[in-house]
Amino acid sequence: MRTLWETLGKGPSRDIALVCLAVGVIGLSYGAIAVTSGFPWWFPVLMGALVLAASSEFLFVGIIAAGGSPIAALLAGLLVNARHLPFGLAVPDVLGRGWRGLLGTHLMNDETVVFAIAQEGIARKRAAYWACGLGILACWPVGAALGALLGSVVRDTDALGLDAMFPAVILALILPAMKDRALRRTALAGSAIALALTAFLPAGLPVLAALAALPLFRTKNLEGAAR
Amino acid sequence: MSSSFPLLPALAAMSALAAGTFLLRLSGPALRAKVTFPKQVERLLEVSAVVLLAALTATAALTGGDGFAGAARALGVLVGGVLAWRRAPFLVVVLAAAGTAALLRLAGVP
């Protein structure tokens, strides 16, 4: 770990530490929400370590807590995590080989990929990826465990505003992509579709229905390419 | 809002999600060596991820069950979003969102 910090230097190291800390704090809200939804305390901790992809875990817990089927929760989670495929295409050789490579692959998520892309040179890319990934692997399940503890002690975790954390973070993560006008329009239309359908569809499906807005982007994109 | 559900199917689905997610993570590097993806397919995958996450944000911020989640959460997320847009650090965004929602609820906003 020490050599990773040395390779990275002060600035990126501090940013990565802050993000890991923030992930731990979101883990708090995740663990608390899972426990108050009726899950045993170890469930969000185990899922946190094994799946290691926050938005899919929130979605999974939310769907099952709302009475949705485990199959629906699984499919929705997989769909949300499908973005890891292009992630894997995007990050250069930071993952490592053999057993290390398997762990490196498991560490792939929004934050590690963003940090790796931001660094120059393969050594720094690799250091950023691993420092952030190992930090998140530690902070996310520990945060979930603390949150589960908190959720079983504090009756009303909403009073602490924990439920506002997760949407705020996802919003922060997708904001840079929203600079693309066609993408912004498609995302807004998809969100509107999802919101309009929440009253009528079982939990999880409205989010998937947002993909119905995709042709909007495709048409624009193809028009742009043809010109 | 304590609900009861069969734990075993949930555990099985969670394991499948973990395995499936790992395979998705693995297939990128595995494919990169062999196939060149059409740019448009890559872009479309990227776009659908953002569209899904945007819809997730909107529903998580505004709805609970099948109704409105209340102004406190929505405004908390809005404050977090504005801070993120102004490039505030991650931790500030998270704590400001939670703090705003908590303070509003303390003041009696649902």
Side-chain angles (χ1 to χ4, degrees):
Chain A
M1 213 52 194
R2 218 184 129 197
T3 47
L4 290 184
W5 296 131
E6 277 166 10
T7 311
L8 279 170
K10 253 189 193 162
S13 294
R14 196 202 47 213
D15 286 352
I16 288 173
L18 274 179
V19 165
C20 291
L21 198 60
V23 164
V25 174
I26 305 156
L28 265 176
S29 107
Y30 160 60
I33 286 170
V35 164
T36 48
S37 307
F39 282 90
W41 70 269
W42 49 264
F43 197 99
V45 181
L46 188 67
M47 177 152 73
L50 292 181
V51 178
L52 204 62
S55 34
S56 68
E57 295 173 42
F58 271 101
L59 197 57
F60 188 95
V61 165
I63 290 173
I64 290 188
S69 84
I71 302 282
L74 166 65
L75 291 179
L78 283 176
L79 208 74
V80 167
N81 286 346
R83 69 183 185 284
H84 289 87
L85 204 158
F87 280 174
L89 292 164
V91 284
D93 275 331
V94 295
L95 304 175
R97 298 191 168 276
W99 282 104
R100 267 190 82 163
L102 290 184
L103 179 61
T105 304
H106 185 53
L107 296 181
M108 190 186 295
N109 58 46
D110 305 289
E111 293 87 357
T112 52
V113 171
V114 166
F115 273 110
I117 287 173
Q119 295 296 319
E120 299 271 354
I122 186 67
R124 292 172 64 85
K125 279 181 189 296
R126 187 172 287 155
Y129 183 89
W130 279 85
C132 184
L134 291 174
I136 286 176
L137 183 61
C139 292
W140 178 243
V142 168
L146 292 177
L149 196 69
L150 187 73
S152 49
V153 177
V154 181
R155 266 282 176 79
D156 183 17
T157 48
D158 278 6
L160 302 175
L162 296 186
D163 57 320
M165 287 180 174
F166 173 67
V169 163
I170 301 295
L171 183 58
L173 280 174
I174 59 173
L175 268 182
M178 292 295 171
K179 278 183 195 138
D180 183 317
R181 223 173 136 201
L183 176 50
R184 191 169 62 225
R185 212 175 284 177
T186 314
L188 285 176
S191 303
I193 292 171
L195 285 175
L197 290 175
T198 358
F200 310 105
L201 292 180
L205 286 183
V207 170
L208 300 189
L211 291 177
L214 270 184
L216 210 65
F217 180 84
R218 219 170 153 191
T219 324
K220 301 253 176 232
N221 201 29
L222 290 177
E223 271 172 12
R227 264 170 213 161
Chain B
M1 92 178 189
S2 191
S3 61
S4 59
F5 49 84
L7 190 58
L8 219 56
L11 203 56
M14 187 271 272
S15 310
L17 176 60
T21 303
F22 187 80
L23 287 178
L24 285 166
R25 286 176 169 137
L26 195 62
S27 44
L31 283 172
R32 211 164 63 103
K34 291 168 193 164
V35 193
T36 39
F37 263 78
K39 271 263 159 67
Q40 275 174 335
V41 174
E42 249 177 69
R43 183 74 181 128
L44 211 60
L45 271 171
E46 225 177 275
V47 169
S48 30
V50 176
V51 171
L52 282 174
L53 290 172
L56 186 64
T57 304
T59 51
L62 298 175
T63 68
D66 46 15
F68 182 50
R73 187 196 294 176
L75 288 171
V77 176
L78 184 68
V79 167
V82 168
L83 284 170
W85 179 53
R86 309 293 280 171
R87 310 234 168 140
F90 225 29
L91 198 62
V92 174
V93 170
V94 175
L95 294 179
T100 305
L103 285 176
L104 285 172
R105 282 184 186 130
L106 198 66
V109 179

